[in-house]
Amino acid sequence: MAGADRHHTQSRDAADLNLGLIGNGQIAALVDAQARIIWGCFPDFQGDPLFSQLVDDQDRGYYEIGIDDCVSIEREYVRNTAILQTTMRDARGGAVRVTDFVPHFWQYGREFRPLMIVRQITHLAGTPRVRVRMRPVCNYGADDLRITRGSNHLRYVSDARVLRLTTDVPISYILDERAFVPNGTHTLVAASDETLPESPAEIGRRFFEQTRDHWRNWVRTLSIPYDWQPAVIRSAITLKLSTYTETGAVVAAMTTSIPEAAGTQRNWDYRHCWLRDSYFVIRALNRLGATSIMENYLHYIINLVANAEDNTLQPVYGINGEAELTETEAEHLAGYRGMGPVRVGNDAYRQIQHDVYGSVILAITQIFFDERLSHLKDEALFRHLEPLGEKALANYRTPDAGIWEYRGRERIHTHSALLCWVACDRLARIARHLELDQDAQRWQRGANEIHADICDNAWNEARNSFVESFGGEDIDAALLLMNELSFLPADDPRFIGTVEAVGETLKRGDYLFRYAAADDFGAPENAFNICTFWYIEALSSIGRTDEAQRLFDNMLAHRSDLGMLSEDIDPKTGELWGNYPQTYSMVGIINAALHLSRRWEEVL
């Protein structure tokens, strides 16, 4: 049942999503199997990608450390960390190891999260000929950066940004991209335009040790299941890397415009924070015991609520709470495998999605019942949430774009109504907890009204299932959440019938589609990974545990070579598609493993 962090890879010409993630909660970078950094935004997750090769077809936008005549590559994370090591061997027995990390540790009573990528080249055997190629771009591929030279550094300069590379590798070797044989360990520090107070070697050594210890100490605090421990730990580290520490926001993914399927133009910018993800992220963090990240994320959500005009929430916000995420196209980037467009921003922020009110209330409910959290669990916060409940109660029967963000149609979506029920139901629970009896009764009446309406208008007798919209006939995967959200018990025949109908309608091989009906872009082609995890948990809930565990093992087998998942998967080939790494998918691994695993007490 246990996975592994170590994998062997062969050279590939075509881009793929077998990418390693390094970061520190301020910046992040994706490293491919050839030790090239091919994606990295500055000065934060939503910033300009100085390394954009992942979505470009020109020979630029990357930071490569490679060896001539390479015949094999293997890579692994340093155990229980976000430090990536790549070992390359040439045809003559030469070998080097490249160590990549972004410094992250506690210093002077606060988290040290510099805009810095450290790369170390360590000689292992023979006379390997190493080349360093540093080719950043700016303005989403529109401009190259000017290069200026110092005695021990290079400056890559644009009107908006300066990236300084300080190193003990001879500067001329990097400028000319000339091969050299390493002697011991060489260090390259790519950072903001500041002089290093120490030598690159000393910075690299000390920051490596402190970053390694920081990650290992954090992992020790996690509550993990007995089974699938490496998979859960890697998912937890990825979730932490996807958290923008400054505000607490958790991005949906690190990338933009990796298509959901080949040539579909289903290319979206996911470097933002979706409110609908909040409950699942909070649930995973809570069950892992990662309370500090959970609390920061809740604080981010509370800030959104406090700043919402007329108490109206939108589906997605920027990592700093930005409400406006106007969508444009980066014309100078060709797209992943040439499959443009590359989009910047996401017009989903303009959509009407009524599920957001329940999503927010559901997430914040944790504060009132969790004694570990320091937020005030008082009536004032409850009163601040009530207007969101009023929005839910007033709009649950109003058509919207729904959880899947249809851009060309609106319906009374069952999932949206379900989350509006959640808003009222959780407000009733909070009111009872605060001994506000009249408020509890009022919100319970609202919850009962919506519950009855869903049961009357979203149940399809002919299909023996709930359907995706009032009076409709189509099935969607969000119906699987009815038990998870406590709308129906797992043994309710209507829930069992719905799970069976979802499987019959949406399962392709061992994977689940989010829906089967054509949308604005035609019929879906690839499965949606989080939906497969929802199905796994639903199967387990209704007693089909063996099937659930088989499907879960299959999902783990189809992660990228370093243990991560994107948004989508081709059910025929198992190839990953969609933005990467997808927070929703990593949360799916955590929650499913915790749901299916044996208890420690059963085996020890």
Side-chain angles (χ1 to χ4, degrees):
M1 291 184 179
D5 267 356
R6 185 180 184 94
H7 295 268
H8 297 267
T9 60
Q10 295 297 322
S11 176
R12 302 179 181 90
D13 294 325
D16 62 32
L17 295 180
N18 282 313
L19 305 172
L21 174 66
I22 58 175
N24 65 358
Q26 178 68 39
I27 58 171
L30 295 175
V31 187
D32 74 5
Q34 286 74 49
R36 299 185 308 163
I37 294 176
I38 59 172
W39 184 257
C41 299
F42 294 82
D44 55 39
F45 299 162
Q46 292 178 178
D48 187 14
L50 300 189
F51 305 113
S52 58
Q53 175 62 205
L54 182 63
V55 291
D56 201 354
D57 62 354
Q58 299 185 48
D59 189 22
R60 60 178 190 169
Y62 59 83
Y63 176 10
E64 177 182 15
I65 298 176
I67 63 172
D68 291 354
D69 303 319
C70 182
V71 295
S72 72
I73 299 175
E74 62 181 60
R75 58 185 185 159
E76 62 184 333
Y77 279 108
V78 174
R79 184 174 180 270
N80 291 351
T81 75
I83 301 172
L84 181 63
Q85 294 187 321
T86 304
T87 300
M88 295 177 278
R89 305 180 190 279
D90 66 23
R92 301 175 302 279
V96 297
R97 180 177 64 238
V98 178
T99 301
D100 291 324
F101 66 96
V102 182
H104 190 187
F105 48 87
W106 285 93
Q107 182 172 262
Y108 307 126
R110 59 187 178 184
E111 281 191 82
F112 181 58
R113 298 176 285 107
L115 302 179
M116 177 186 292
I117 297 174
V118 178
R119 313 195 77 183
Q120 297 170 307
I121 306 168
T122 301
H123 175 265
L124 298 179
T127 55
R129 300 174 69 241
V130 174
R131 292 181 194 269
V132 177
R133 296 181 174 92
M134 180 81 145
R135 299 183 181 181
V137 294
C138 62
N139 298 327
Y140 287 88
D143 300 302
D144 295 324
L145 284 82
R146 304 183 303 276
I147 302 176
T148 64
R149 175 177 177 167
S151 57
N152 295 290
H153 71 267
L154 295 171
R155 297 170 75 247
Y156 297 83
V157 183
S158 73
D159 293 339
R161 182 151 305 283
V162 177
L163 185 68
R164 178 190 287 247
L165 179 66
T166 306
T167 181
D168 49 22
V169 174
I171 294 298
S172 61
Y173 292 174
I174 299 174
L175 273 175
D176 299 338
E177 299 181 351
R178 184 181 306 135
F180 66 96
V181 177
N183 179 23
T185 295
H186 297 278
T187 303
L188 303 96
V189 180
S192 54
D193 193 23
E194 299 176 7
T195 302
L196 292 185
E198 305 168 72
S199 70
E202 178 59 24
I203 286 281
R205 182 197 63 76
R206 184 164 60 84
F207 283 11
F208 171 87
E209 293 175 354
Q210 291 174 291
T211 299
R212 178 198 61 200
D213 293 347
H214 173 84
W215 280 108
R216 287 180 171 173
N217 288 336
W218 181 76
V219 167
R220 288 190 188 100
T221 69
L222 299 177
S223 300
I224 60 173
Y226 178 80
D227 297 311
W228 305 292
Q229 292 181 44
V232 171
I233 291 171
R234 182 53 48 198
S235 298
I237 290 173
T238 304
L239 186 54
K240 182 172 169 63
L241 288 171
S242 301
T243 301
Y244 185 58
T245 305
E246 185 173 316
T247 64
V250 179
V251 294
M254 286 297 173
T255 59
T256 178
S257 304
I258 309 301
E260 296 176 13
T264 59
Q265 295 201 357
R266 297 177 187 264
N267 303 7
W268 314 113
D269 190 347
Y270 274 15
R271 299 172 298 164
H272 311 300
C273 183
W274 267 259
L275 290 182
R276 78 166 52 92
D277 299 357
S278 58
Y279 164 68
F280 298 98
V281 173
I282 293 298
R283 178 189 177 213
L285 292 172
N286 178 46
R287 297 182 71 187
L288 287 171
T291 52
S292 60
I293 300 177
M294 179 175 71
E295 193 163 17
N296 287 341
Y297 187 31
L298 285 167
H299 188 66
Y300 169 81
I301 295 170
I302 289 172
N303 276 325
L304 295 181
V305 173
N307 290 313
E309 186 176 345
D310 192 31
N311 298 304
T312 299
L313 294 175
Q314 58 194 50
V316 55
Y317 291 86
I319 58 175
N320 294 302
E322 308 96 314
E324 188 171 321
L325 302 172
T326 303
E327 189 175 295
T328 60
E329 294 183 6
E331 298 178 356
H332 298 277
L333 296 173
Y336 180 74
R337 299 185 186 173
M339 300 174 188
V342 173
R343 293 188 169 96
V344 181
N346 198 306
D347 274 349
Y349 84 92
R350 305 177 189 272
Q351 291 187 341
I352 304 299
Q353 296 177 30
H354 300 313
D355 61 337
V356 294
Y357 301 105
S359 297
V360 165
I361 292 172
L362 186 60
I364 295 177
T365 296
Q366 184 77 28
I367 289 174
F368 291 91
F369 295 89
D370 194 331
E371 289 298 327
R372 297 170 299 174
L373 305 184
S374 60
H375 280 95
L376 295 175
K377 316 164 191 296
D378 57 12
E379 184 177 341
L381 180 56
F382 171 73
R383 298 299 178 199
H384 212 67
L385 295 178
E386 283 194 300
L388 304 184
E390 299 289 356
K391 288 277 188 180
L393 190 56
N395 289 294
Y396 81 90
R397 256 193 164 275
T398 304
D400 72 350
I403 183 176
W404 308 122
E405 297 183 344
Y406 296 108
R407 294 196 173 196
R409 77 169 198 218
E410 290 189 342
R411 294 178 180 175
I412 303 174
H413 288 100
T414 303
H415 178 77
S416 296
L418 172 64
L419 267 293
C420 289
W421 170 82
V422 164
C424 297
D425 177 78
R426 290 341 187 245
L427 285 173
R429 298 186 191 195
I430 295 169
R432 285 193 292 271
H433 184 69
L434 297 175
E435 299 182 348
L436 302 171
D437 295 339
Q438 289 187 340
D439 296 293
Q441 292 172 16
R442 177 166 59 90
W443 286 113
Q444 191 60 60
R445 286 194 298 270
N448 293 343
E449 174 191 327
I450 300 175
H451 195 288
D453 212 351
I454 292 173
C455 291
D456 288 344
N457 292 287
W459 175 257
N460 187 305
E461 192 68 37
R463 303 206 67 167
N464 191 37
S465 173
F466 284 94
V467 287
E468 59 91 36
S469 60
F470 281 24
E473 296 183 353
D474 293 333
I475 300 287
D476 82 334
L479 298 168
L480 294 168
L481 298 174
M482 286 184 155
N483 171 246
E484 166 67 26
L485 298 176
S486 302
F487 185 84
L488 292 176
D491 60 358
D492 190 303
R494 293 170 298 177
F495 179 66
I496 295 172
T498 299
V499 174
E500 292 173 347
V502 167
E504 292 169 2
T505 306
L506 301 180
K507 190 165 174 280
R508 305 288 187 274
D510 288 334
Y511 309 99
L512 211 75
F513 278 51
R514 50 187 165 177
Y515 48 82
D519 60 16
D520 318 326
F521 295 85
E525 297 179 26
N526 284 339
F528 208 67
N529 289 328
I530 187 59
C531 296
T532 304
F533 290 117
W534 291 346
Y535 186 57
I536 288 166
E537 290 195 57
L539 288 175
S540 178
S541 295
I542 64 173
R544 292 163 59 179
T545 306
D546 289 346
E547 182 180 358
Q549 184 166 311
R550 183 185 65 79
L551 293 178
F552 183 56
D553 286 335
N554 178 68
M555 289 299 294
L556 293 183
H558 284 89
R559 294 172 296 162
S560 64
D561 65 338
L562 287 166
M564 285 167 276
L565 283 171
S566 62
E567 181 185 46
D568 308 272
I569 194 166
D570 186 325
K572 297 178 181 178
T573 67
E575 182 178 7
L576 297 177
W577 288 86
N579 283 303
Y580 177 95
Q582 181 78 6
T583 297
Y584 231 172
S585 301
M586 305 312 293
V587 165
I589 292 173
I590 295 168
N591 286 334
L594 290 165
H595 190 89
L596 293 171
S597 175
R598 292 169 291 176
R599 299 171 58 210
W600 286 86
E601 294 80 4
E602 296 179 56
V603 291
L604 295 181

